Amino acid sequence: NSLSLAMHPLPGLIYHQAVQAFEREEYESSLTLVREGMDLIDDEQGSKAGFSSDPDSGRVCDAVVLWAQNLFQLDRHDEFQVLLASAGRWDLVPRQMAELDIVRLSFAFKQGHYHDVIKETSAFIECQRDALPRVLADFLLLRGHCLSNMGQPDKALEDAEMAFSLFRLMGKDVESARSANFQGMLRVRSSDFSGAVRWFRRAYDLHQKL
C-alpha cells in the first residue's frame, strides 16, 4: 500500500472514543485510548488486520496530535518531547505540522517564554492569513494570552475576538467557550464589568450546550 502511514486511519472507533474522552476533560483516559490505537498501528499483525474507512476512526496524524494535546493538558512536557522525537516512525515531520506546533508553543507559554511565543505565532499568522487554516484561531488565542501576560490587554482582546469569531465559524464549541471566557477575563482586568458579564454569560451558555 503506497498510502503514507501518517494518513492511515486507526482501526475501529478508538480515535472517536479518545476524542470524546478529551472533550469530557478525561485526559488520562483519552491518552490511554490513543496509545492503544497507535499500538495497533505499530504492531505488524494489527496493521494487517484492516483499517476502518469510517471518518470517525481518525488518521495516524490526527491521533498523534490528540496524543500531544493530552500530554499538554497533563503537563507532561518531557513525554511530549519524546513524542516529537519519535514522530518519524509514523512518517510525520513535527515542524511541518501546525497542530503540533501550537502544542509546542503552548508549553513554551506555560514556561513563561512569552516573547518567543509571540514571535513564532505572529510569523505563522502573517504567513497564513490568506489561507485561513483551521489552526489559525489557536495561534491567535495563544498570542492573545501572551500579550495579556505582557501587559498589552488591547492587543490581546483583538486577538481573542478574532479567535472567537473563527472558532464559531468552524463550529468548534469547546474552543469558542474558552475564548469567550478569556474575553470576559480581559474585560474584568480593564474594569469593563458589563462587557465581562456579557462574555462570561456567552461562555456559560456554550459550556451548558456542551
Side-chain angles (χ1 to χ4, degrees):
N1 193 333
S2 61
L3 182 66
S4 166
L5 184 57
M7 302 305 292
H8 264 302
L10 272 67
L13 292 175
I14 289 178
Y15 176 75
H16 179 62
Q17 293 164 354
V19 169
Q20 288 183 324
F22 182 85
E23 290 176 346
R24 293 193 302 268
E25 300 183 359
E26 297 170 3
Y27 304 121
E28 287 283 6
S29 297
S30 179
L31 186 59
T32 298
L33 286 163
V34 170
R35 284 173 169 162
E36 287 177 3
M38 295 302 287
D39 284 344
L40 290 172
I41 292 294
D42 287 336
D43 180 77
E44 185 177 0
Q45 289 186 341
S47 63
K48 288 179 179 177
F51 295 89
S52 170
S53 60
D54 189 322
D56 282 336
S57 66
R59 302 166 299 174
V60 166
C61 57
D62 301 320
V64 171
V65 170
L66 183 58
W67 189 339
Q69 290 170 337
N70 277 301
L71 291 176
F72 173 77
Q73 294 296 338
L74 294 167
D75 204 19
R76 297 182 184 173
H77 183 255
D78 289 345
E79 290 183 40
F80 173 68
Q81 293 290 88
V82 172
L83 179 64
L84 291 185
S86 59
R89 67 197 285 187
W90 303 297
D91 300 333
L92 295 171
V93 181
R95 290 309 297 265
Q96 294 179 11
M97 295 179 63
E99 294 83 1
L100 285 180
D101 252 356
I102 196 69
V103 179
R104 177 181 61 82
L105 291 169
S106 295
F107 271 117
F109 168 78
K110 271 188 179 182
Q111 295 162 352
H113 304 307
Y114 305 135
H115 285 286
D116 292 339
V117 175
I118 289 173
K119 181 179 178 181
E120 288 202 50
T121 52
S122 296
F124 179 87
I125 291 163
E126 186 62 34
C127 289
Q128 300 293 329
R129 65 173 69 251
D130 292 334
L132 285 179
R134 292 177 65 85
V135 76
L136 184 63
D138 298 284
F139 276 80
L140 283 163
L141 187 60
L142 180 57
R143 186 174 69 173
H145 279 288
C146 287
L147 289 167
S148 173
N149 284 12
M150 292 181 66
Q152 301 182 55
D154 291 341
K155 291 183 178 179
L157 191 57
E158 183 176 324
D159 278 357
E161 288 173 343
M162 287 190 289
F164 176 81
S165 297
L166 287 171
F167 283 137
R168 292 296 285 159
L169 183 65
M170 293 183 288
K172 300 178 74 170
D173 289 335
V174 172
E175 292 82 357
S176 296
R178 289 174 178 167
S179 58
N181 190 66
F182 179 48
Q183 289 190 64
M185 292 165 60
L186 289 171
R187 284 170 169 79
V188 167
R189 293 171 190 166
S190 62
S191 300
D192 176 12
F193 300 117
S194 61
V197 168
R198 185 172 65 254
W199 279 102
F200 284 139
R201 182 174 291 123
R202 186 171 292 182
Y204 177 79
D205 289 344
L206 284 165
H207 280 296
Q208 285 284 85
K209 177 183 175 183
L210 293 165

